[in-house]
Amino acid sequence: MAVCGSACGSNCVPKDTEGEEGERLKRLSLEEESSVRRCTKCAEEEARKECNGLCAGCFRAYLYGKFKLAVTSNAMISPTDKVLVAFSGGPSSRVALEFIHEMQSKALACWDASNSQALPVFTVGVVFMEECNISDELSDQADDVIAQIRSIVSGLSPPSKDLHIVPMESLFSSDLRKLVGSINDATGREDFVRHLRMLSLQRVAFEFGYNKLVLGLSASGIARHVLSATVKGQGYSLPADMQYVDTRWKAPVVLPIRDCLEQELVTLCNLESLKHVQVHDKRCTSINGLVSSFIARLREDNSSREHTILRTAGKLKPFNFNKFSSNQYEYVPSRLRPKFQFIETGEPESPEVLCPICASPLTATELATTRCSQQMKGLNIKEMEAFYLSCCQSCHFQILPKEETSMSCDGFFDLLPKPMVKRSLLRLVVSYSMHFSTFTTTTKPFVPNKLG
């Protein structure tokens, strides 16, 4: 089509007409660009509403940055470690497994490219605890869940990972189903199963030689725990369960996605099509269930409430076992040691006395009360009596029978896993050692081995 200065024919377009059309198209293009919200970080890709103003790539980098900062600044993983990831199949543990796998893959790539290959690469295993024989709630979904777990782990790119699918009751000689069923309180039953789960994970870690246990506990999960523990009267022991590191156990527990919200992890799974297991839990009227519903309503009102709860509880003073000691990294190269967090050794650390059921540190009042009762009974105290006296007040109220005599009559004590009973005997030795050490300066309190 010809263009000329005047209208000379039907096939000609005046110059001024073409200019107007160009301006109109340019204006429409600018309006279209302005309607597309750009990522607040890279300013190139389109921002996603569910990603808080970030594009999909920057959102993933944001979450992985949180994960890597938690790992490096708290010395969670060293090159010589054998790491066991506790995998439930949910979004939180799925992202934790994905990030651990990515970190391992990058470390392996660096190792392959290195000339000396002097620095080893940590190994990773995955464990899934099967609990369907303890409770009927998930028994109808067990086969499907296990099949999905196998598919997820086998679908990971190299390096491959050992998968341990372990029925919880196979780790203990007692009838766990009967033991859990004998607890009348709904909250107590839930908490006791959670304690059994940790004991089982530690057992698997010990038997297969893992020295670190990774849990996919998010900021949302910790926020729920903070409120539920406060309601249960566990304020003193609360700081122990919400730190990045917990060395109470033979295989220390680490929380690499502690700073990530649950909703953020769900969003990442959806964006990257990370397959995870959908488990439909039944409605629960326990304290834990009610707190979960309350947190969900807070999240609808303001998504930052969970972080607010976590930051507030984070001001509580952690215990001595919430850090790694310096001697745990003696084989790490000197150029990497500044990244690790060490315990100051200027002051001697007093050992915490732990509840044999929930492993919570006991308060000074609980210690004084139980120590007085044990001294009245003398060194001939029976095993069952030692266990009953060694438990914290929360476990007394929600898990144990109301009367000490009922423990033998109802068969509760005989059904308890032996590692729990063993803890109470260690607790008794610690109590008497600390008592007698007050009368002599040469006797040091006996410090038991880590829980396992």
Side-chain angles (χ1 to χ4, degrees), residues 75 326 329-342:
S326 57
Y329 291 97
E330 57 183 343
Y331 299 107
V332 175
S334 58
R335 62 185 176 84
L336 296 179
R337 289 175 189 169
K339 295 183 178 180
F340 297 146
Q341 178 181 5
F342 299 140

Side-chain angles (χ1 to χ4, degrees), residues 189-202:
R189 282 195 300 272
E190 284 187 14
D191 290 348
F192 189 71
V193 170
R194 179 166 57 87
H195 305 325
L196 287 175
R197 186 182 303 124
M198 175 57 73
L199 205 60
S200 303
L201 292 172
Q202 289 292 324

Side-chain angles (χ1 to χ4, degrees), residues 198-384:
M198 175 57 73
L199 205 60
S200 303
L201 292 172
Q202 289 292 324
R203 183 83 174 268
V204 173
F206 176 75
E207 290 184 357
F208 290 95
Y210 294 96
N211 66 327
K212 293 285 178 61
L213 177 62
V214 175
L215 299 185
L217 187 60
S218 64
S220 305
I222 295 179
R224 291 192 290 267
H225 178 70
V226 168
L227 295 188
S228 61
T230 303
V231 173
K232 298 170 192 175
Q234 299 172 342
Y236 176 77
S237 61
L238 174 59
D241 303 321
M242 53 172 293
Q243 308 300 324
Y244 294 99
V245 173
D246 184 356
T247 64
R248 278 176 290 182
W249 310 90
K250 288 183 179 179
V253 176
V254 295
L255 309 179
I257 58 171
R258 174 186 178 271
D259 297 324
C260 301
L261 292 174
E262 197 171 81
Q263 190 58 44
E264 294 175 335
L265 302 174
V266 172
T267 299
L268 183 62
C269 287
N270 294 334
L271 288 175
E272 299 203 334
S273 300
L274 296 179
K275 186 179 178 183
H276 57 280
V277 180
Q278 296 287 352
V279 178
H280 304 287
D281 295 329
K282 296 182 179 179
R283 184 176 179 84
C284 182
T285 57
S286 67
I287 291 176
N288 303 321
L290 295 175
V291 167
S292 297
S293 300
F294 177 70
I295 291 290
R297 295 187 66 177
L298 287 179
R299 187 188 308 123
E300 294 175 359
D301 180 53
N302 188 338
S303 59
S304 64
R305 292 289 176 83
E306 292 162 314
H307 268 316
T308 302
I309 296 173
L310 179 59
R311 284 195 302 268
T312 304
K315 297 178 182 179
L316 298 173
K317 183 181 178 180
F319 291 91
N320 292 326
F321 51 72
N322 288 129
K323 292 181 183 178
F324 285 122
S325 58
S326 57
N327 58 6
Q328 290 176 279
Y329 291 97
E330 57 183 343
Y331 299 107
V332 175
S334 58
R335 62 185 176 84
L336 296 179
R337 289 175 189 169
K339 295 183 178 180
F340 297 146
Q341 178 181 5
F342 299 140
I343 292 180
E344 297 294 336
T345 57
E347 298 180 0
E349 299 173 3
S350 58
E352 296 290 343
V353 180
L354 308 177
C355 172
I357 293 180
C358 65
S360 297
L362 300 185
T363 66
T365 303
E366 290 171 334
L367 283 173
T369 302
T370 56
R371 194 173 299 156
C372 180
S373 300
Q374 289 171 355
Q375 290 170 5
M376 291 177 63
K377 291 178 179 291
L379 289 173
N380 295 324
I381 186 173
K382 297 180 180 179
E383 192 178 55
M384 184 186 67

Side-chain angles (χ1 to χ4, degrees), residues 148-211:
Q148 292 184 60
I149 294 292
R150 292 186 186 276
S151 174
I152 292 171
V153 177
S154 62
L156 294 173
S157 59
S160 61
K161 293 163 182 57
D162 293 332
L163 174 61
H164 312 279
I165 297 180
V166 184
M168 187 182 293
E169 69 278 3
S170 67
L171 298 175
F172 307 103
S173 58
S174 57
D175 187 348
L176 295 185
R177 186 184 184 90
K178 184 177 179 181
L179 176 62
V180 173
S182 65
I183 301 174
N184 297 323
D185 185 78
T187 304
R189 282 195 300 272
E190 284 187 14
D191 290 348
F192 189 71
V193 170
R194 179 166 57 87
H195 305 325
L196 287 175
R197 186 182 303 124
M198 175 57 73
L199 205 60
S200 303
L201 292 172
Q202 289 292 324
R203 183 83 174 268
V204 173
F206 176 75
E207 290 184 357
F208 290 95
Y210 294 96
N211 66 327

